[in-house]
Amino acid sequence: MILLVALVLLISLLSAHSLDVKAPKFTVSLDSPPQERWTEPVSYMIDTYGFDHSFKNVLDYVDSLIPEPLLLKLEPVFLKVMDSFPDEYATEIKGIWNAIDGKGYGDRITVGQLAAINLMYELTVFCTSVLAEDPDGNIYHGRNLDYGISGLQNLTAQIDFTSGGSVLYTGTEFVGYVGLLTGMKPSAFSFSVDQREMIDQHKNNHKGWEAFKGVIENIISGVEGGKPVGMFLRKLAEEGSDFSNALEVVSKENLIAPVYIMLAGTASGEAAVVTRNRLHPDDQVGEGVWPVDVTNGAWFRAETNYDHWVDVPDTDNRRGPVNQCMIELGFENVGLEGIYDCLSTPPVLCDGTVYTTLMQPKEGSFETTIRNQE
Ligand SMILES: *[C@@H]1O[C@H](CO)[C@@H](O)[C@H](O)[C@H]1NC(C)=O
């Protein structure tokens, strides 16, 4: 008997190191005033993890990029940049600050810092996205979101954005951020964004001058009218009608940063990796839009953080392993489960992986798993 108890204890201890849990789910009603929309998720994060284990993790990261005295001087600049955000989202950000303040932490963070955080996430998202089609023409979309900041697990949530009582779109969010890096409009399309590697952040460990320069470039681009990618994608989720409409919109908008945008739809052939520079798809080799193409044997596409037409650096090869895993899984067997397994295999799953989201727009299925939870 004692032996059995000890065995059970041992097993639970052994499995405790990789606690993968489903993300907490919230509903954000788009019918409610923007300043009130995020109160519940913000309160949940602070109540559950404490300010120091949730929002402070991100603030520490901002501090590591921008020295504190400079950060305070930049406050008016960040507020100015916020003027360039769509009014609705700027008001949501103020509402998030109010909710933090309501929990007694208003003196620990400023509205300008929250605005800066909203520009920064899209800068350093190391990710792996997989698009696939099975023999019946079903389309699958999976993604890992990897991040250099530790502690984002404690801000991760799955949000249903509702309108008139029904779900308009769903996304995986870091509470505090109002854009969408991973989202789906049921019966229409899904999307994920991966950073397009332009600066050597691995060498710089996501820190230092290069990353700071990236923030400044983003700010300048923001002031010049480039759209923050996450906010752009959230608008797309709200207004886009279907895959081909989404592909068209994604191909022409002026964005704040170069990125990969993966889109999946509901019918055969409706899945593509779009390699974006700030103004449009990068067609230097004619593959700015890189679709799945079952008739030519390309039943899946995987994208990490490098143009698919160039080799990945030796120091960060997640592309080879994810491609290999998908090939072993096979066209006949592909599905969300198999994609999850491939996204869960190191080095595709890495220390920085915060969450894995699986999406199937046709079925309206969307599931976020938080990874590497301590
Ligand atoms: C999440 O919060 C808990 C405290 O509730 C803390 O022990 C844990 O380290 C935090 N996780 C991360 C990844 O920061």
Side-chain angles (χ1 to χ4, degrees), residues 45-50 52-54 57 149-155 371-374:
M45 295 302 166
I46 294 178
D47 290 345
T48 309
Y49 307 112
D52 285 343
H53 285 123
S54 55
N57 291 333
I149 309 179
S150 60
L152 286 179
Q153 283 84 351
N154 286 355
L155 287 173
R371 315 304 299 260
N372 299 319
Q373 181 80 310
E374 283 162 32

Side-chain angles (χ1 to χ4, degrees), residues 53-92:
H53 285 123
S54 55
F55 290 96
K56 180 158 182 296
N57 291 333
V58 194
L59 278 176
D60 285 348
Y61 180 70
V62 179
D63 279 350
S64 75
L65 292 182
I66 310 172
E68 176 115 27
L70 185 57
L71 192 63
L72 292 176
K73 287 217 181 68
L74 283 173
E75 181 75 11
V77 179
F78 292 143
L79 291 175
K80 178 107 191 99
V81 171
M82 208 161 92
D83 286 344
S84 71
F85 295 172
D87 279 351
E88 185 185 4
Y89 299 157
T91 311
E92 285 186 12

Side-chain angles (χ1 to χ4, degrees), residues 68-130:
E68 176 115 27
L70 185 57
L71 192 63
L72 292 176
K73 287 217 181 68
L74 283 173
E75 181 75 11
V77 179
F78 292 143
L79 291 175
K80 178 107 191 99
V81 171
M82 208 161 92
D83 286 344
S84 71
F85 295 172
D87 279 351
E88 185 185 4
Y89 299 157
T91 311
E92 285 186 12
I93 291 170
K94 288 176 196 151
I96 288 166
W97 185 84
N98 287 342
I100 294 173
D101 188 43
K103 286 281 160 191
Y105 295 97
D107 58 340
R108 302 279 299 275
I109 191 166
T110 65
V111 174
Q113 283 166 347
L114 274 174
I117 287 166
N118 270 272
L119 285 174
M120 241 165 35
Y121 276 130
E122 36 203 72
L123 200 72
T124 48
V125 278
F126 275 82
C127 311
T128 304
S129 290
V130 174

Side-chain angles (χ1 to χ4, degrees), residues 34 44 50 68 76-78 150 154 187 229 244 254 259 308 327 338:
Y44 174 90
E68 176 115 27
V77 179
F78 292 143
S150 60
N154 286 355
S187 309
V229 182
S244 46
N254 175 3
V259 287
H308 66 264
I327 290 164

